[in-house]
Amino acid sequence: MCSLSRQTVRRNWSLYAGSFVALAVGVFLLGLAATATAATIAYHGPASASIAVTTLGGDGTPPERVTVPLSDADVSGLQTVLSMVGTLCGFITIFVIASTFAFAVASRRRELGLLRLIGATPRQIRRMVLGEALVVALAASLAGAFFAQFATPLLLRKASYTELAPVKLEPASPWVPLAIAVGAGLLVAMLGARSAARRAARVAPVDALREAALEPPRIGPVRIVFGVVFLAGAIAMLTLIRPSSGEGAVPLAMFTPMVLVIALTLLAPLVVPPVARLWAVPVVAWTQASGRLARSNVLAAPRRSASLAAPILAISAIAGSMVLSLSFAADSAEATIRDAVRAPIVVTGAPPADAPGVKAVDAGLPVQLVRVAADYAELEDAEGIDPAIASQTRDLRVLSGDLGKLSGNTVAVSKEMSGFEGYRVGDEVSVVFLDRAAVELRVVAVVKDAFGVNPSFLIPLDVARQHSPGTQVERSFVLPADGTDPAELVHRIPGAELATGWEADQAVGVRKGNQLGLVMLLGPAALYSAIAIANTLLMGSLQRRQEFVTSRLLGATPAQIRRMVLWESALVGAVALSLGTAITVAVGILIRHAMTAGVADVPVTVPWGVLLGIGALCLTLAVGSALAPTTYILRRSQPAAAVES
């Protein structure tokens, strides 16, 4: 069977070329993420850039000595992004490989039927298809790992000294991460080809006698059951995207589209035809014959159409949901910052102590501390405040407790931190300041969240000064004296600006950070998806040579065939983009509600240019990748080739 699998791949290279390229790129991206992650794990900053603490232990967990990196040596941001890139690339890889192998099996029904006719058992057919997948996967995985090794130093140079990794990263030993990437590529290929192998084993011997490559009219009950299960899981995940989800709403908005894409792909033979009929109505009315043929081809082969639409559906749904979620997150952050600042003036640093026309100055002192839990320790941002003044300059609405008791070794925590860690008024929070002083802070209040204005921990100003004596004030909120015009006071204080301008700058910073994360996350996935779309459509067109030549024999002109392929690929792309848009809209509506609950006058920023660009690029790739091989085939084939064996 191994020899037969190798010969089959060599003979049907055009079917498997797309799978090879798609898997090689997928392993390349996975290998790049793995080697870069290994570099972040191998990085050890100077001793002064970390602090060693002992966890509390408890519930069977013994205390443990751990080292916590400080902010200027923290590469956890890059590790998080790389893990998400690996997850996205792994998902798209298995998705594309499953689609391409399903298409390959559908294109070889007569060949598989002939093998069954001469005595091949279903088990042998299944082993042959899995062997073909292994041959392609082994070559593609090794090629992807080879190129990942050479690209790793370039990635680390680009990632060093950025917000995600504010240190210089050097390549680590590549053998383990590349072995993981190769193993993941092989596993992904075998998982993706498994369903295609089972489908190939069910091909009947009578299919060898068929001239038309018609698909069975129904899909199996197992596929329907799994499709419904994934759909139910996606609906359950959608219901969790609500205000009480906190920061968990964004990860849900990122991963829910993946589950929806899987569900719609499994149920595609049931979903594609009705959506295609709707899109075909204007096409048929406008084009007549070519549009009717395109509609018939899409409806007659829903599985093939689903395989061609799969990569378009995946990237449009995932990319659209992420773009919309991050845009709405920035809108929410902008409104939250605006509502949280009550002072009309913001000063960079601390204003002069004798500045005329000033009623009160909220010069909070930023500090960092290590929060120690039972089995881990984490670096947190805190701020030393004067609660009497800070309550006037910013929104410190108390949800429980009394902020007036913030003195001595006490702390006020945000609502989100209280929800995540279960802190209540009267609880003790074990912390270690950067001067190595271990302190127990008693919770005296739980205050409203105000991201970008208030950190999760607020401590007394004198405690902050005691443990961070050399720290400088970064920004101050200023209340003008009664009768003083804030616009005039701004000109008297160095580094001062109106709060509206400062809030706008903060919103711009949030959007820039989101854009960087979006490029890091979607850049590799979008590039890979574009290659997958082109490969899948190229494979689909290259396998239709006999169909095109027969159409020429019946009197169709090359221009008519090209128009048919144009509308057929456009229909497939429109169906995929419609389903992707539906997913994007559903996730967008829920994530906006979750993020804006309780915040007034939240702006609505929909990045239409990016969303329309994603759709236009997918549609252009779909049409271009189908027309290019069609034109090539028509130029090199004559109608007489239809009677050749």
Side-chain angles (χ1 to χ4, degrees):
M1 275 299 165
C2 292
S3 177
L4 180 60
S5 297
R6 289 196 302 270
Q7 294 175 12
T8 304
V9 172
R10 188 180 300 113
R11 185 176 65 254
N12 296 301
W13 66 268
S14 61
L15 273 178
Y16 293 105
S19 300
F20 175 86
V21 174
L23 186 58
V25 175
V27 173
F28 168 75
L29 295 174
L30 288 172
L32 209 55
T35 52
T37 301
T40 63
I41 294 174
Y43 173 78
H44 296 289
S48 60
S50 62
I51 182 171
V53 299
T54 303
T55 60
L56 300 178
D59 296 331
T61 303
E64 182 182 0
R65 193 72 172 172
V66 297
T67 300
V68 181
L70 304 183
S71 59
D72 60 344
D74 187 10
V75 294
S76 60
L78 182 60
Q79 290 177 350
T80 301
V81 171
L82 289 173
S83 65
M84 298 183 70
V85 169
T87 301
L88 282 174
C89 291
F91 170 78
I92 295 177
T93 300
I94 191 171
F95 197 74
V96 171
I97 295 301
S99 299
T100 53
F101 270 95
F103 181 82
V105 168
S107 301
R108 296 168 54 201
R109 291 188 66 84
R110 290 185 63 193
E111 175 188 334
L112 297 174
L114 183 60
L115 290 174
R116 294 280 286 114
L117 192 64
I118 61 176
T121 64
R123 183 179 179 183
Q124 289 174 323
I125 296 293
R126 185 167 57 250
R127 288 171 55 195
M128 181 189 73
V129 174
L130 290 176
E132 295 167 4
L134 183 60
V135 170
V136 175
L138 186 59
S141 298
L142 292 176
F146 176 80
F147 287 107
Q149 167 63 15
F150 284 96
T152 298
L154 176 61
L155 173 65
L156 294 179
R157 282 199 298 270
K158 294 293 184 181
S160 297
Y161 301 116
T162 63
E163 293 182 3
L164 296 175
V167 296
K168 184 178 181 181
L169 296 174
E170 297 290 347
S173 174
W175 301 113
V176 173
L178 290 183
I180 294 174
V182 170
L186 294 174
L187 178 62
V188 161
M190 301 310 292
L191 289 175
R194 186 180 177 185
S195 60
R198 288 200 304 265
R199 189 177 305 153
R202 293 196 296 267
V203 174
V206 71
D207 285 336
L209 307 178
R210 292 181 178 174
E211 291 294 330
L214 296 177
E215 298 179 0
R218 294 182 297 176
I219 61 176
V222 175
R223 181 167 179 169
I224 294 177
V225 169
F226 275 99
V228 172
V229 168
F230 275 102
L231 185 60
I235 293 173
M237 293 174 71
L238 286 172
T239 60
L240 295 176
I241 305 176
R242 51 191 178 188
S244 59
S245 301
E247 289 190 350
V250 175
L252 280 171
M254 295 174 62
F255 291 106
T256 301
M258 297 184 187
V259 182
L260 279 170
V261 166
I262 295 174
L264 290 178
T265 302
L266 290 171
L267 301 174
L270 303 177
V271 177
V272 167
V275 180
R277 285 192 180 93
L278 291 176
W279 277 107
V281 171
V283 173
V284 171
W286 185 27
T287 61
Q288 298 301 324
S290 59
R292 291 181 185 275
L293 285 174
R295 179 187 62 182
S296 299
N297 286 337
V298 172
L299 296 180
R303 287 183 176 177
R304 184 184 71 179
S305 301
S307 297
L308 298 177
I312 304 176
L313 170 61
I315 190 59
S316 62
I318 295 173
S321 298
M322 290 181 64
V323 168
L324 213 55
S325 298
L326 291 178
S327 179
F328 289 162
D331 290 340
S332 176
E334 180 180 353
T336 300
I337 292 173
R338 182 200 63 217
D339 290 352
V341 177
R342 294 175 176 173
I345 299 174
V346 180
V347 180
T348 301
D354 57 349
V358 174
K359 176 182 179 181
V361 176
D362 174 16
L365 191 66
V367 297
Q368 288 186 308
L369 51 84
V370 177
R371 180 170 56 88
V372 184
D375 55 353
Y376 70 93
E378 188 171 350
L379 188 70
E380 301 282 3
D381 290 322
E383 184 178 0
I385 65 169
D386 182 336
I389 297 177
S391 298
Q392 302 176 52
T393 61
R394 42 183 149 162
D395 187 0
L396 288 176
R397 190 181 315 163
V398 177
L399 304 179
S400 63
D402 184 2
L403 193 61
K405 296 180 180 180
L406 190 68
S407 62
N409 289 331
T410 59
V411 64
V413 300
S414 66
K415 176 185 176 183
E416 183 185 59
M417 180 59 67
S418 172
F420 281 162
E421 301 298 334
Y423 293 139
R424 299 293 181 267
V425 175
D427 290 348
E428 298 285 338
V429 181
S430 298
V431 303
V432 176
F433 287 94
L434 300 193
D435 62 355
R436 273 61 176 177
V439 179
E440 295 287 332
L441 299 177
R442 181 171 53 86
V443 178
V444 295
V446 176
V447 299
K448 177 186 174 184
D449 294 324
F451 306 109
V453 178
N454 301 329
S456 297
F457 294 91
L458 298 172
I459 61 176
L461 188 57
D462 57 345
V463 174
R465 288 172 177 163
Q466 176 185 350
H467 295 288
S468 300
T471 304
Q472 299 296 320
V473 174
E474 293 181 354
R475 57 100 179 96
S476 305
F477 300 107
V478 176
L479 287 176
D482 296 338
T484 302
D485 185 3
E488 294 181 1
L489 185 58
V490 164
H491 298 294
R492 304 179 200 165
I493 303 176
E497 62 178 323
L498 292 176
T500 52
W502 180 83
E503 293 161 5
D505 291 340
Q506 299 303 303
V508 170
V510 171
R511 292 189 187 279
K512 286 184 177 179
N514 287 350
Q515 289 173 0
L516 176 61
L518 191 64
V519 170
M520 291 287 293
L521 287 173
L522 280 186
L527 174 63
Y528 180 37
S529 297
I531 295 173
I533 292 170
N535 279 338
T536 306
L537 271 296
L538 282 170
M539 289 167 52
S541 296
L542 288 174
Q543 295 305 307
R544 299 175 67 182
R545 175 180 177 275
Q546 194 69 20
E547 175 189 338
F548 294 157
V549 173
T550 303
S551 299
R552 291 288 312 279
L553 190 65
L554 294 174
T557 65
Q560 289 173 327
I561 294 176
R562 282 195 294 269
R563 283 198 296 270
M564 179 193 71
V565 172
L566 167 66
W567 293 117
E568 185 178 337
S569 57
L571 277 177
V572 170
V575 170
L577 290 175
S578 298
L579 298 176
T581 300
I583 294 174
T584 299
V585 171
V587 172
I589 291 174
L590 291 174
I591 195 69
R592 178 169 173 79
H593 173 68
M595 290 182 171
T596 60
V599 183
D601 300 327
V602 181
V604 180
T605 305
V606 178
W608 292 110
V610 177
L611 295 175
L612 293 176
I614 293 172
L617 180 60
C618 289
L619 203 57
T620 301
L621 285 172
V623 173
S625 301
L627 281 179
T630 300
T631 302
Y632 173 80
I633 292 171
L634 292 174
R635 286 178 179 175
R636 299 180 63 90
S637 301
Q638 299 299 322
V643 296
E644 295 178 1
S645 58

